[in-house]
């Protein structure tokens, strides 16, 4: 006991501000005043954790000089108190090596006054030294050995037989609630059980009494279940009987054999476990487990005695087989292995086909989406080309009428001559009315591109129209400065300057320079190629009194420029800019 008395004491008041450490020997907590020595015999000295609605402690029983487990109810709801009281009653009534023992005075209440007067329900039970089957299973990721599992299976059925004989259902059987501990010196191991591997069923918080009359009635039970282990009728809150424990035990044993969580083995459509191809076990044992985990209650074994008898037959050593029996067993074993390999191969092929089908579907969808996007881009670009062409031609025609069929053209010529004379005196006047054709064509081109709205640009009609007039007017000025006049360099320069300035004013949301550079240089190069192959005029000039026939070449020039601008804006919007964004240029 010396190592125990050197420990500190733990206060069990859930509202205590400083529950640990408290000096050994103190009767009351220094922080909250709660009693530290319970019933004048139990001294809590270590918190083991929490389970459900209770806190677990290790306590020292001064009366028996042994360590025990204290379970303290910390949930104050009536349902929690009902389940806790029910657990205490069940454990107190049982005296079986597979169930933690509870002393006659093991269930009691402790009176607390801080922060307000209330009672704390406590349950002291036998401490099981060992590991749960869930912890043991972690050492066997491929599943525990069959002989070990069969031994645990037999002991678990013996425990259930005792519980059901007393009309008690556990309702929460799973690997974490089955513990493998050392046998108590005062207890004699049952038949088939060896010293040091006593299986104990713990956590009776969900246990309940049942009777034949209640099972025949249609009253439902409290909806309490563990996912992956509890049967369907328990999950839905229906009527549960002994077969619910058999179902949970069957799934637990299957998990111990295969090393896989039951839901991983469950067929999504039928809910049945597909586990026999995962591991090679005794066929009789496999048949028994399959019956225990049937969805239909009527298909499961009716009582623990039947399961125990079948386990006894499975556990019996077989007589030495004869030559024919050995040959038959080898054929069966070989057939089973071939079947398992074939099943695995079939599953692999099904998975490959499923993956291939999924990949083909994704590819088809991707190709279809790509084709649709390409089609949409082509239609949008063609629509922009059409509007830009119409706008440029309309603007050129309007400018031609203003320049040569109204007094505005004569006024423009006089204004340009006066400005030229001031800059360079005594020079011959030049014809300047054609600037109106350029300015109006720039306005029409900008208007057409803005109306289309196919490239994400803002529809700023006023800004775009003004900049279109300024850009093409500036291009006309560049044309006047280039010599010789009959070369194609002049119109190419007009395109470079006019298109670049016009594109910058269209209101794109980003990458303005990219759009301007590609539109200007792309259009200029395209027109230069047309001049090279003599498909476009290198120059056009108006006479002093031009007729409508002289408007043909300007219409070809301004219309083709509008088409080129739209084409290269489409290339930039659908290919170049997305590529730059992909490379990180935002």
């Amino acid at each position: 006991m010396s190592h125990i008395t050197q420990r500190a004491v733990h206060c069990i008041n859930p509202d205590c501000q400083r529950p640990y450490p408290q000096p050994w020997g103190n009767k009351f907590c220094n922080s909250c005043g709660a009693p530290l020595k319970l019933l004048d015999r139990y001294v809590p000295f270590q918190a083991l954790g929490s389970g459900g609605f209770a806190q677990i402690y290790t306590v020292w029983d001064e009366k028996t000089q042994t360590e025990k487990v204290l379970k303290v109810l910390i949930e104050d709801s009536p349902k929690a108190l009902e389940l806790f009281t029910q657990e205490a009653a069940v454990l107190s009534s049982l005296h079986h090596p597979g169930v933690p023992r509870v002393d006659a005075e093991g269930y009691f209440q402790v009176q607390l006054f801080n922060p307000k007067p209330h009672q704390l329900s406590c349950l002291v039970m036998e401490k099981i030294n060992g590991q749960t089957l869930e912890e043991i299973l972690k050492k066997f990721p491929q599943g525990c050995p069959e002989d070990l599992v069969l031994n645990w299976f037999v002991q678990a059925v013996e425990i259930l037989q005792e519980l059901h004989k007393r009309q008690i259902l556990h309702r929460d059987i799973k690997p974490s609630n089955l513990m493998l501990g050392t046998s108590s010196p005062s207890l004699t191991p049952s038949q088939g059980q060896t010293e040091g591997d006593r299986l104990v069923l713990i956590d009776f918080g969900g246990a309940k009494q049942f009777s034949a009359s209640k099972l025949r009635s249609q009253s439902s039970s409290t909806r309490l279940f563990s996912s992956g282990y509890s049967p369907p009728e328990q999950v839905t809150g229906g009527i549960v009987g002994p077969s619910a424990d058999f179902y949970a035990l069957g799934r637990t044993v299957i998990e111990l054999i295969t090393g896989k969580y039951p839901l991983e083995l469950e067929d999504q459509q039928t809910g049945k476990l597909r586990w026999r191809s995962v591991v090679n076990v005794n066929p009789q044992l496999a048949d028994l487990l399959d019956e225990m985990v049937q969805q239909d209650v009527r298909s499961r074994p009716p009582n623990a005695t039947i399961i125990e008898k079948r386990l006894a037959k499975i556990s019996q050593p077989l007589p030495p087989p004869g030559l024919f029996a050995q040959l038959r067993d080898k054929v069966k074993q070989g057939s089973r292995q071939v079947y398992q390999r074939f099943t695995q191969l079939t599953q692999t092929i099904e998975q490959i086909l499923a993956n291939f089908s999924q990949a083909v579907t994704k590819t088809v969808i991707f190709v279809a989406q790509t084709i649709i996007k390409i089609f949409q881009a082509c239609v949008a670009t063609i629509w922009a080309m059409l509007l830009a062409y119409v706008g440029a031609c309309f603007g050129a025609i309007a400018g031609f009428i203003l320049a040569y069929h109204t007094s505005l053209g004569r006024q423009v010529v006089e204004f340009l001559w006066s400005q030229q004379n001031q800059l360079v005196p005594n020079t011959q006047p030049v014809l300047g009315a054609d600037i109106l054709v350029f300015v109006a064509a720039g306005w029409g081109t900008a208007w057409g591109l803005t109306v289309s709205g196919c490239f994400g640009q803002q529809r700023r009609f006023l800004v775009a129209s003004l900049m279109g007039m300024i850009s093409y007017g500036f291009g006309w000025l560049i044309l006047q400065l280039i010599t010789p006049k009959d070369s194609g360099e002049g119109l190419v320069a007009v395109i470079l300057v006019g298109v670049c300035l016009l594109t910058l004013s269209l209101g794109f949301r980003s990458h303005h320079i990219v759009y301007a550079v590609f539109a200007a240089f792309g259009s200029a190069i395209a027109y230069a190629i047309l001049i090279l192959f003599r498909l476009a005029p290198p120059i056009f000039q108006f006479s002093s009194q031009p007729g409508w026939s002289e408007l043909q070449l300007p219409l070809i020039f301004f219309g083709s420029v509008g088409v080129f601008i739209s084409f290269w804006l489409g290339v930039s919007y659908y290919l170049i800019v997305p590529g730059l964004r992909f490379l990180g240029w935002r």
Side-chain angles (χ1 to χ4, degrees), residues 21-100:
Q22 299 292 330
W24 188 279
N26 277 19
K27 291 188 176 182
F28 299 97
C29 175
N30 291 333
S31 177
C32 68
L36 297 177
K37 194 179 216 182
L38 311 177
L39 292 187
D40 203 29
R41 63 181 285 188
Y42 302 117
V43 182
F45 63 86
Q46 183 182 6
L48 296 179
S50 58
F53 43 74
Q55 181 72 35
I56 313 296
Y57 301 91
T58 301
V59 297
W60 177 253
D61 186 354
E62 291 188 342
K63 183 177 180 179
T64 61
Q65 295 292 297
T66 56
E67 289 184 19
K68 294 184 178 179
V69 172
L70 169 66
K71 195 170 184 180
V72 180
L73 178 65
I74 57 177
E75 178 72 34
D76 59 356
S77 66
K79 189 62 184 177
L81 180 59
E82 177 188 346
L83 293 175
F84 193 79
T85 306
Q86 184 174 272
E87 178 180 10
V90 167
L91 292 177
S92 299
S93 66
L94 292 173
H95 299 283
H96 188 274
V99 178

Side-chain angles (χ1 to χ4, degrees), residues 16 129 276 351:
C16 183
N129 295 310
R276 297 181 74 148
Q351 186 64 35

Side-chain angles (χ1 to χ4, degrees), residues 462-512:
L462 180 60
V463 174
S465 300
L466 290 176
M467 285 302 298
M469 297 166 62
I470 294 173
S471 59
Y472 272 47
F474 193 71
W476 173 85
L477 181 60
I478 297 296
L479 180 63
Q480 306 308 312
L481 300 176
I482 291 179
T483 55
K485 298 292 184 181
D486 58 349
S487 67
E489 298 176 359
L491 294 183
V492 172
V494 170
I495 294 173
L496 280 173
V497 174
V499 173
C500 184
L501 295 176
L502 172 62
T503 307
L504 289 174
S505 67
L506 289 180
F508 293 103
R509 303 185 185 277
S510 64
H511 301 82
H512 305 83

